[in-house]
Amino acid sequence: MTRVTPSQKPPRDAAAPALSIVAPCFNEAMGVKEFHRRVSAAASGFGAYEMILVDDGSSDSTWAEISALCTNDPHVRGLRLSRNFGHQAALTAGLKAARGARTIMIDADLPDPPELLTAMMAEMDAGADVVFGRRKQRLGETAFKRISAAAFYRVVNRLAEVRIPVDTGDFRLVSRQVLDALLRMPERHRFVRGMVAWLGFRQVGVEYVRDPRYAGVTNYTLGRMVKFSMDAITGFSTVPLQFAHIVANVALIVGLGVFGYIAYSIVAGTAVPGWASILAFTALFASAQMFILGVMGEYLGRMYMETKRRPLYFVAETLNSDLKEG
Ligand code: UDP
Ligand code: MG
């Protein structure tokens, strides 16, 4: 095991492996050993490989587990981020470190079978540049998760200018050319599967059944999202820009209520001419303006974050690796 601190940076390893495996790990201490076992078995048939495990600021002993794996297996490279930057940023950190001719992105909690690698490699041998796993069925996930995931992909595909294959995650095998292209996209609000779809090249899918997570619990709970937004408000966020949405919805409901009242008072013959229609239209148009302001706020907020040009993440420590910068 070679330990690298920021002050000593050895030269880059000249011999690139055939395959890089990249897995972001957030509080995966219970599962990372099993992940290593299954992935090592699946990868061993394809020549030289490296397994990049990114600890995304875990609060459990994930980093200790990764360190132990790095000591015992030179294939494993460990990256520890300076704090929790989120799934997509951690994935990006790992992708940037990848040196392989081909790279597979896979979740550390083993919902996607590493054994599918054989079929994915075969598709790439046959000429594909991107091979994504498509979930035929999800085991061990709540109805809420299944329904929200299905709705999510359908809404995104309706609004976005790219077609993201339905029911896929970030479980993907990409060629060096595609990975280099992906890494040239510098945006902060990263949605890696959409970005890969946007790239083009020859993309094919391989179907599989999604397993329940091996150990631990999902990191994408409703509570986490709520906490996230509170942190964002108290920190330095653009959320207040979006309050216009709430105001718009309230105004819309009030406006519709007034409309109902007008209709009622006309039918009942109690309408005072003039005032009600003015009030209703004022409320309705005010809500429309607020809605448009809210949409502009969403975009403005994202532009604000982009103009800061902050690195996506910071690497605090690396093992068996020469990469340190963000
Ligand atoms: N993950 C991460 N940082 C986070 C949240 C998640 O690196 O802040 C990793 C996690 O360890 C896992 C993958 O991203 O390898 C997917 O997360 P999870 O399994 O919690 O999400 P789900 O599969 O439930 O959508
Ligand atoms: Mg998972």
Side-chain angles (χ1 to χ4, degrees):
M1 182 171 70
T2 53
R3 188 178 287 265
V4 179
T5 55
S7 54
Q8 27 152 185
K9 190 180 178 185
R12 215 159 232 279
D13 192 22
L19 178 69
S20 297
I21 298 139
V22 174
C25 310
F26 179 62
N27 293 346
E28 302 286 3
M30 283 190 290
V32 75
K33 218 177 261 147
E34 172 69 7
F35 175 85
H36 172 261
R37 188 189 67 73
R38 267 181 72 189
V39 171
S40 300
S44 58
F46 301 105
Y49 69 92
E50 60 178 5
M51 188 187 303
I52 300 168
L53 301 176
V54 183
D55 176 12
D56 185 20
S58 297
S59 53
D60 66 1
S61 58
T62 297
W63 183 243
E65 294 289 335
I66 293 175
S67 304
L69 290 172
C70 285
T71 309
N72 298 323
D73 180 359
H75 292 111
V76 182
R77 297 169 59 197
L79 249 66
R80 184 170 64 80
L81 302 189
S82 59
R83 64 168 169 84
N84 180 245
F85 283 92
H87 179 194
Q88 301 287 301
L91 178 61
T92 303
L95 292 176
K96 197 162 177 201
R99 297 173 295 199
R102 297 174 180 182
T103 298
I104 185 163
M105 338 178 179
I106 180 168
D107 284 356
D109 59 321
L110 288 172
D112 311 307
E115 296 75 22
L116 203 67
L117 186 60
T118 310
M120 292 173 125
M121 289 296 257
E123 287 287 354
M124 200 162 272
D125 290 340
D129 299 300
V130 175
V131 186
F132 52 84
R134 190 194 289 276
R135 298 153 190 171
K136 262 199 308 209
Q137 199 187 336
R138 292 157 171 257
L139 301 176
E141 284 183 357
T142 59
F144 173 73
K145 178 109 190 181
R146 278 202 312 276
I147 292 165
S148 60
F152 172 76
Y153 281 109
R154 276 150 194 97
V155 169
V156 168
N157 273 338
R158 192 155 270 260
L159 299 179
E161 64 188 74
V162 301
R163 290 270 134 221
I164 301 159
V166 172
D167 291 330
T168 64
D170 290 320
F171 187 35
R172 269 167 179 61
L173 178 67
V174 297
S175 67
R176 185 76 243 171
Q177 189 185 17
V178 169
L179 182 57
D180 286 341
L182 180 67
L183 291 174
R184 285 183 55 194
M185 297 168 80
E187 58 254 56
R188 250 107 280 272
H189 299 274
R190 297 181 88 75
F191 180 51
V192 172
R193 65 203 74 162
M195 291 161 70
V196 173
W198 182 85
L199 285 171
F201 298 96
R202 274 161 301 176
Q203 311 211 359
V204 298
V206 174
E207 289 208 326
Y208 69 103
V209 176
R210 192 161 217 241
D211 292 327
R213 114 193 297 293
Y214 173 70
V217 291
T218 176
N219 295 306
Y220 282 97
T221 56
L222 205 58
R224 185 180 162 112
M225 286 183 231
V226 173
K227 183 184 172 295
F228 236 15
S229 44
M230 290 309 289
D231 286 348
I233 292 165
T234 54
F236 45 104
S237 93
T238 57
V239 169
L241 280 171
Q242 295 147 18
F243 283 166
H245 274 321
I246 299 165
V247 178
N249 290 335
V250 172
L252 183 69
I253 291 164
V254 171
L256 290 175
V258 172
F259 261 127
Y261 176 68
I262 296 168
Y264 165 77
S265 53
I266 289 170
V267 172
T270 57
V272 178
W275 75 269
S277 53
I278 290 170
L279 190 66
F281 280 111
T282 308
L284 209 64
F285 283 103
S287 83
Q289 285 169 356
M290 282 299 195
F291 177 76
I292 292 162
L293 265 181
V295 172
M296 286 169 70
E298 297 279 351
Y299 285 93
L300 184 67
R302 280 168 178 74
M303 284 166 69
Y304 171 65
M305 293 312 283
E306 289 286 347
T307 54
K308 286 179 179 283
R309 304 205 140 271
R310 287 189 182 158
L312 291 171
Y313 53 83
F314 282 103
V315 177
E317 191 179 347
T318 62
L319 296 172
N320 292 350
S321 174
D322 59 358
L323 184 128
K324 64 175 178 61
E325 79 285 0

